[in-house]
Amino acid sequence: MAELTYRCPLQCPYCSNPVDFADQGQELDTGQWLDVFAQARAMGAAQLGLSGGEPLTRPDLIELVSGARELGYYSNLITSGMGLNRDKVRALADAGLDHIQISFQDAEEAGNQLMAGSRKAFQHKLEMARAVKAHDFPMVLNIVIHRHNIDRIGDIIQLCLDLEADYVELATCQYYGWAHLNRQGLMPSRAQLERAEHVVADYRRRLEDAANPCQLIFVVPDYYEERPKPCMNGWGSMFLTITPDGTALPCHSARQLPIDFPNVRDHTIETIWHRSPGFNHFRGDAWMPEPCRSCDEKHEDFGGCRCQAYMLTGDAANADPVCAKSPHHHTIVAAREQAGTPLDQVPPLTYRNERNARLIYRG
């Protein structure tokens, strides 16, 4: 995953970017990114995600896509659609981009505006989704689901079907970055989640009956699970993120951990992946304390998410509190109970923008 930039015209309060993104280092330039792509490809990397922020704010995006194609990557642009136009869609296709994922905030303009902080975004996204389909890209529509839009999940699915999406990712909010900051205002209740699951199941049956190939992917928040997810298939196992300033991470959110992660300006990808302390920190299971150390499921879930353990317990080596075996599971139970609190009794949403990022960074 190449996080090309933290710049973005939208202000979504569930963004996974670090809350102090405004005080990160200078972005890698075109040549540095192409060198990183080449190093990773030489090691066997096959799929490249181009993300952000909003990657379309990079004036060299076409050049980066073209370079990825020459190296043999399957490349995927993950975008809000802002900054996209029909000419750019055509140019991306000509450069060899394989796949575009566009995010929506809601099925209606008001809900989209509430989350994105833009009055123009919804109509522009609709137009760009149609343009993507017109150029025969496989198209994923991604909608982050939270307490403000979950009761309209049927309308959201129908909008995606009307736009002829190939895949619809209904990504129930996962609480990292800005979403963790805004958890009280975003987390749906269990009753809301159960109703949404019924709606999704009903649409899946309808699609199957109509032989419609569109796939609905419903990502349930792990706060409502009793076992943790096998985060990134294990630490440093198959996934590599490079942040805008070149910091290499084993997952999107790991930058918050008190670990010294390497930078591609100083080390090769081969050295980073195989020999850096950051990428070896939680590999294997020797680092595990109890109850993970003696758990017969540790090779299935790898102890869960290190970032979540750190955020909720202060120690990244602890068992993920999502796990019912964790001594910190009560923090998850408390969050579930808070999810039913009326919105007028929870703090207002803090929107993702540079001003708020700088205020948070400075305390």
Side-chain angles (χ1 to χ4, degrees), residues 242-361:
I242 307 296
T243 69
D245 70 359
T247 301
L249 303 173
C251 78
H252 305 75
S253 300
R255 192 167 198 159
Q256 68 185 299
L257 301 179
I259 295 173
D260 185 21
F261 288 107
N263 193 291
V264 298
R265 300 176 196 266
D266 307 314
H267 305 280
T268 65
I269 299 294
E270 194 274 340
T271 296
I272 287 169
W273 184 259
H274 290 293
R275 292 186 288 282
S276 70
F279 273 72
N280 282 293
H281 203 96
F282 291 116
R283 277 183 171 144
D285 58 20
W287 58 270
M288 290 182 176
E290 295 293 348
C292 295
R293 180 177 289 274
S294 58
C295 180
D296 59 4
E297 297 178 75
K298 67 182 178 182
H299 298 302
E300 297 177 21
D301 60 35
F302 313 107
C305 176
R306 299 302 89 225
C307 299
Q308 198 150 257
Y310 178 71
M311 287 188 296
L312 298 179
T313 76
D315 186 346
N318 283 333
D320 186 336
V322 163
C323 184
K325 299 178 183 180
S326 166
H328 302 281
H329 187 60
H330 63 276
T331 61
I332 296 295
V333 174
R336 295 173 190 166
E337 293 170 351
Q338 288 179 338
T341 305
L343 282 171
D344 61 2
Q345 297 178 28
V346 301
L349 296 173
T350 300
Y351 286 87
R352 179 239 193 250
N353 55 51
E354 286 203 14
R355 177 181 179 278
N356 286 335
R358 294 188 190 283
L359 288 172
I360 292 165
Y361 178 74

Side-chain angles (χ1 to χ4, degrees), residues 28 44 88 95 132 138-139 168 172 212 255 268 297 304:
L28 299 179
K88 191 160 285 187
V132 166
M139 183 174 71
V168 178
T172 310
N212 187 323
R255 192 167 198 159
T268 65
E297 297 178 75

Side-chain angles (χ1 to χ4, degrees), residues 188-202:
S189 67
R190 184 182 290 277
Q192 284 183 302
L193 183 64
E194 290 174 351
R195 287 196 297 270
E197 288 180 311
H198 286 304
V199 172
V200 174
D202 181 58

Side-chain angles (χ1 to χ4, degrees), residues 24 37 53 84 94 103 132 134 173 186-187 198 224 230 240-241 251-252 290 309 317 332 345 355-356:
Q24 302 299 334
F37 296 171
L84 199 60
D94 291 343
S103 65
V132 166
C173 209
L186 292 172
M187 189 167 166
H198 286 304
Y224 284 105
L240 172 68
T241 291
C251 78
H252 305 75
E290 295 293 348
I332 296 295
Q345 297 178 28
R355 177 181 179 278
N356 286 335

